[in-house]
Structures are given as structure tokens and as C-alpha cells.
Amino acid sequence: MARRIVVLNGPNLNLLGTREPHIYGTGTLADVEALCTERAAAHGLEVSCLQSNHEGELVAALQEAGADPEVVGVVLNAAAYTHTSVALLDAIKATGVRVVEVHLSNPHAREPFRHTSFISPVAEMVVAGAGPRGYGYAIDHLAATGG
Ligand code: DQA
């Protein structure tokens, strides 16, 4: 398989399009994944996408990405697990996989419990509040610095 970027989306992001559209917009997860595929292709990279509502599946995906020399890095929107998951933090630390943290909304402009991120301390870059375009920026960064 060609060099690739792994795009991981966490809980409830399968509901994009109908989920609180005033916050997350009307684009679907399929739209986000299509944007990622297109953006990566522009850099000559492939993309593997996974959405999961289960923390352990996201941990496993990070471990797999970290063990695969063909993976340039991970674009991670851990959704609510951003604010709770020591397991995701540990998986990133344990594997040393490059991660760009992405949020559609800007969590810092929202409820206080969203102001803490367990991912940010180990993320190379954080993109928040740019909507789906943020995934593209994350891919541009990974491609520019390691693609
Ligand atoms: C989110 C922000 C999180 O606080 C929230 O739990 C999500 C989505 C975002 O993309 O803006 O599910 O990660």
C-alpha cells in the first residue's frame, strides 16, 4: 500500500449532517472523508478512514497506525473522548505516532468541560473551529512535513 494518512473520527461523528447542525454544519461524515481522500491525493497520499463510537477501537487503530511504516500520521477527531481519554493519550505516547488533533467546532468557545484536551499535549498541531476544512489543513501539514 502507498504512503497514507489515517483519519480517525470518534463518537457521534457518524451522525454529522443531522447532529446539532448549528454547531457541526450539515456536511456528513462521508463528505468529510471524501474531502480527506481528495486532499491526500493532491499530495500523492492515500487515506484510511475509521469512525468508531468505541474508545478501544480508536486505541487499536492508533496502535496499528503507529506500527505501520507506511503511515505518515493520523488526523484525529476524538470527539468527546478528547476530554476524557487517558487511553488515547497513552496510545499516542506509546506508539509515537504523529497526530494532528482536529475539531469541527472550537471547543474553547464552548462549555468549560470541553476546554481540557487529553490529546493536545501529544498532538503536533491542533485545528479547531474551521469545520471540515480543518481536516484538509491537518493533511496539508502531515504531507508537508513527512509525506
Ligand atoms: C468535537 C468537539 C467535542 O467537544 C465534541 O464532543 C465532539 C465533536 C468537534 O469536532 O468539534 O463530539 O470534537
Side-chain angles (χ1 to χ4, degrees):
M1 199 185 218
R3 306 261 301 150
R4 69 199 164 93
I5 287 174
V6 173
V7 178
L8 297 181
N9 281 295
N12 300 305
L13 292 171
N14 54 312
L15 300 179
L16 284 179
T18 56
R19 175 192 181 194
E20 299 179 274
H22 57 291
I23 297 174
Y24 299 114
T26 52
T28 64
L29 180 63
D31 294 334
V32 167
E33 293 182 348
L35 180 155
C36 290
T37 303
E38 213 171 282
R39 202 77 216 110
H43 296 289
L45 297 169
E46 293 188 354
V47 148
S48 304
C49 298
L50 172 77
Q51 185 278 328
S52 178
N53 294 321
H54 302 278
E55 190 175 16
E57 276 183 17
L58 296 166
V59 169
L62 284 166
Q63 289 184 6
E64 274 170 35
D68 186 341
E70 295 301 312
V71 171
V72 176
V74 176
V75 176
L76 175 62
N77 184 347
Y81 289 140
T82 304
H83 317 300
T84 62
S85 181
V86 177
L88 292 180
L89 165 68
D90 282 352
I92 296 165
K93 283 171 102 165
T95 59
V97 68
R98 300 178 63 206
V99 168
V100 177
E101 175 182 354
V102 172
H103 301 284
L104 293 155
S105 67
N106 176 4
H108 294 284
R110 300 178 61 193
E111 304 96 317
F113 65 84
R114 295 186 203 275
H115 298 181
T116 298
S117 168
F118 283 82
I119 309 299
S120 292
V122 289
E124 248 184 61
M125 174 181 167
V126 181
V127 186
R133 282 195 318 279
Y135 290 77
Y137 302 149
I139 289 170
D140 287 345
H141 169 77
L142 288 170
T145 54

